[in-house]
């Protein structure tokens, strides 16, 4: 299957409450999400690297308009809503597990989630280190 999903452009600003995330580059494409490197600045101006997952399934009729909004055809709306609910539940489960004592580094460190532009976005901390292939 050819992936025709149009990613967000570098420099796109995603806003959630008091936070603004600036998209830097697309780093991955999965069946349900596009993943980006991004940055945000905290309350004292310090720059933080993060990863942002954008819910944007490949296997249904979903398109991005010129303003960056995601639209789903009527025939796929119900299916998209189910996928969005699963996306949110996964975030909630990861957060619950992450908050258990003694399970540090057992899940991704998801920090935020919100709905905007017809889809969902999830923010994960950016952790550098050795991957399993390099470790072996």
């Amino acid at each position: 299957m050819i992936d025709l999903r149009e990613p967000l452009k570098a420099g796109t600003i995603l806003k959630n409450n008091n936070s603004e995330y600036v998209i830097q580059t697309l780093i991955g494409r999965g069946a349900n999400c596009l993943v980006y490197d991004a940055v945000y600045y905290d309350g004292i101006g310090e720059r933080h690297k993060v990863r942002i997952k954008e819910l944007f399934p490949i296997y249904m009729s979903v398109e991005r308009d010129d303003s960056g909004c995601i639209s789903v055809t009527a025939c796929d709306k119900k299916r998209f809503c189910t996928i969005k609910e699963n996306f949110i539940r996964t975030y909630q489960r990861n957060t619950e597990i992450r908050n258990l004592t003694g399970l540090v580094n057992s899940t991704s460190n998801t920090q935020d989630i919100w709905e905007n532009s017809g889809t969902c976005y999830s923010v994960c901390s950016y952790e550098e280190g050795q991957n399993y292939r390099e470790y072996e």
Side-chain angles (χ1 to χ4, degrees), residues 76-116:
D76 279 330
K77 272 242 194 270
K78 186 176 179 182
R79 197 163 138 204
F80 185 79
C81 285
T82 300
I83 292 169
K84 186 164 52 168
E85 289 168 6
N86 289 338
F87 186 83
I88 293 168
R89 269 197 305 276
T90 298
Y91 170 84
Q92 291 168 326
R93 281 191 211 117
N94 280 340
T95 302
E96 288 170 13
I97 292 169
R98 185 77 181 176
N99 288 327
L100 292 173
T101 304
L103 293 178
V104 177
N105 293 326
S106 61
T107 66
S108 62
N109 188 7
T110 53
Q111 301 173 338
D112 202 358
I113 191 168
W114 74 99
E115 292 185 48
N116 194 7

Side-chain angles (χ1 to χ4, degrees), residues 36-96:
Y36 305 92
D37 275 341
V39 296
Y40 78 94
Y41 296 87
D42 64 21
I44 61 170
E46 292 295 316
R47 182 177 184 261
H48 297 267
K49 293 180 181 180
V50 292
R51 294 265 160 89
I52 296 181
K53 289 173 66 174
E54 177 185 37
L55 182 63
F56 195 161
I58 191 172
Y59 48 85
M60 60 178 65
S61 299
V62 181
E63 293 182 350
R64 184 184 310 280
D65 66 19
D66 291 338
S67 70
C69 290
I70 301 286
S71 61
V72 182
T73 60
C75 66
D76 279 330
K77 272 242 194 270
K78 186 176 179 182
R79 197 163 138 204
F80 185 79
C81 285
T82 300
I83 292 169
K84 186 164 52 168
E85 289 168 6
N86 289 338
F87 186 83
I88 293 168
R89 269 197 305 276
T90 298
Y91 170 84
Q92 291 168 326
R93 281 191 211 117
N94 280 340
T95 302
E96 288 170 13

